[in-house]
Amino acid sequence: MILDKNTTEIESISRALQGISKEISFEGLAKALLKASLNHSGASRGAVLLSEEGELLAKADASFPREKARFFASEPPVGDFQLSAEISEKVLTRQEIVVRQDISARSAMIDTAERSFDGHVVQLCVPLIHQERTIGVLYLESDGDQERFTSGCISVLSMLASQAAISFESAQLIEALRETNLWMIKGQQIGRMGSYRWNTRTQLTRASRECYRIFDIDRDVNPVPFDVFTSRVHADDIAGVLRALMQAVRTKSPFHHEYRVVQRDRTTVNVVAVGRFAISPTGDMEMDGIVTDVTERKAAERALLDARNELARAVRLASVGELAGSIIHEINQPLTGIITSAEACVRWLSRSPEGLAEASRSVSRVIEQVHRASDIVAGLRTLVREAQFRLTDVQINEAIEEIFVLLKRDLEQSAVALRSKLDQTLPMVKADKVQIQQVLLNLVRNAIEAMNSVDGRARILTVSSIEAGDHVCVRISDTGVGFDEDGKRRLFDALYTTKAGGLGLGLSICRKIITVHGGQLWVEDSPAHGATFAFTLPLRPNRLAAS
Ligand code: ADP
């Protein structure tokens, strides 16, 4: 019988210890310790107070620093909890177990004690000690029951308190981990970036919450199979993504790729993915990386490019308009004069022969006005030429690459693949960079436009630069519609255009700019489809060529 009773008691203590050790939160820990202690001791009331860093010890005084507690639990629930200065000192500072059974003992659980009992109470107070710091207190009291806290009962309660103090460490670690994790999740949400680890053997990926958002994958898919990720990649980008990944896997080099993700509601997200390989503890090759949602940044870049293009167009239109306006104004006067004089001449001639002298004077005035008009045109020509050219040392590849940046969006929109074959050893040329870029811009835009209606073959723009004798030569080839013999003859004629909204001035202005630089611009015979334009710039021009 005695054995049975002991066995049952040991079992119940071991269950209580297990219950406490399983708890991983401060709240669960405090409640489990309180419940087990009340059960075991049969005390009327009790409370458990947990602090985090042992602040209870530092603040020990008569008014128990409950506001410093990480967690407080009491049974029954009370509004206030106050230990006497003497108990506080013993438990918190000296870390002693205190039992008080004398008449003067007052309840620490004020509301309850006042309501239920006005006699004296028996108190037990056990410090919870972790790494020499008092991190909490277990407090029990009974109404006037002097036999309540026997030495056997106290030993069991101290065991429960020690187990709680040990579990406190795991609760603290888990709390810290949870906080770090929340911090990371928040950081990833703000930065719109998710982290992932991809196992190249199992083809499975572990990914952070933000990755699930970017790729629009349900949270219960964990780990994520590779084909779930690839099913979200834009159809036009998938081949590029796979190629870049395979290349990184083959060479074990860092991975960096920009592509589009299409979510289930057809929303397109622009992402930049980066990753590095490492060997996992199981010997598998794994890639750790980050995927960043750059949709907003891309939209801002596009808006900036649009604005720049629009501005460039507006400036071009404005200067064409301004020039046209001044030409109209300047030429109009002599033209009006010519008409008036010619009409007068006709009148004088009709009164022949006496009008002949006057008619001849009118014709002289016509000639005078024609000279004036021609002078004005010559003057305007000089003005335009002198005002616009400013020669500096220009690295032609740099000028070309800036045009690629400017036209990046047009190339993407027209699905044109760019092949640049720039000779990196090219010397500088003396040129007006803005004017040369104007030429490049025109030639590349024409090439893109020529490929816009092409379907069924690749749209490829090839731009090359090379040193040829005492010149630098730039070639721009496309796989567009090309032109027939008649078109080819007229390409450089001013006002020749085959486009609905074309001006037909681009190529003639380009040729003019290149000629003034002392170079040449021509069209080459294309072997298959499309067109190739080429121009040269002298490496050492003596001066600008005459127009
Ligand atoms: P615009 O572009 O305003 O028509 P351009 O002088 O630049 O004026 O071009 C004149 C014409 O030359 C174009 O309308 C087009 O028919 C032809 N052209 C120019 N570049 C190309 C090209 N790369 N491929 C085919 N045709 C072209």
Side-chain angles (χ1 to χ4, degrees), residues 446-447 449-450 478 481-483 491 496-499 502-508 531 533:
N446 275 347
E449 280 166 6
D478 60 65
V481 289
F483 25 65
L491 285 174
Y496 169 74
T497 182
T498 54
K499 300 171 194 167
L503 278 177
L505 285 173
L507 284 178
S508 50
F533 286 83

Side-chain angles (χ1 to χ4, degrees), residues 258 260 270 298 302 407-417 448:
E258 219 175 307
R260 284 163 297 174
N270 291 85
K298 280 258 160 198
R302 265 198 300 273
L407 291 178
K408 187 164 179 269
R409 180 155 178 245
D410 302 54
L411 290 166
E412 276 171 10
Q413 265 179 352
S414 303
V416 172
I448 296 173

Side-chain angles (χ1 to χ4, degrees), residues 116-141:
S116 61
F117 182 72
D118 55 3
H120 83 273
V121 291
V122 184
Q123 296 173 303
L124 170 71
C125 206
V126 184
L128 305 180
I129 300 162
H130 175 64
Q131 291 175 350
E132 296 177 0
R133 281 189 321 233
T134 313
I135 48 109
V137 174
L138 164 66
Y139 173 81
L140 299 173
E141 64 180 36

